[in-house]
Amino acid sequence: MPTNDLSLAASYFAQEERSSLPESVDVAQLLGQLGQCRICYVICDSDHKIILHGKLYESMDEAKQNCADHLAIATAIVPA
């Protein structure tokens, strides 16, 4: 995510991509929205791209304890 100074982020993007970089006001709005969310973890079947059950885990450690070897952990961003 670019900082408020987009010139710092521009070097990471190809010339044709630079014009589509978000304005700093867009980034500020996104950060404001993310600040009202919480990050949780879910167990999923990454081969089939599905969440196995709707249980949200508050920590990565808790998710790992409940995740079988053949499954994966995904990050979920949910409203607070």
Side-chain angles (χ1 to χ4, degrees):
M1 180 181 305
T3 63
N4 285 339
D5 184 353
L6 294 179
S7 65
L8 296 175
S11 61
Y12 294 98
F13 296 91
Q15 184 66 38
E16 60 274 6
E17 294 173 318
R18 292 179 189 176
S19 63
S20 65
L21 287 176
E23 297 294 328
S24 60
V25 77
D26 296 332
V27 173
Q29 287 177 334
L30 176 60
L31 289 173
Q33 291 171 352
L34 289 174
Q36 298 175 27
C37 295
R38 63 188 177 110
I39 295 178
C40 296
Y41 304 91
V42 293
I43 296 174
C44 64
D45 179 339
S46 57
D47 291 337
H48 297 99
K49 312 277 190 270
I50 58 170
I51 295 173
L52 295 182
H53 51 74
K55 180 158 179 56
L56 296 173
Y57 296 95
E58 297 294 325
S59 73
M60 177 66 82
D61 288 338
E62 183 184 9
K64 284 180 182 178
Q65 290 173 0
N66 292 283
C67 185
D69 289 338
H70 66 284
L71 301 174
I73 299 171
T75 303
I77 299 174
V78 296

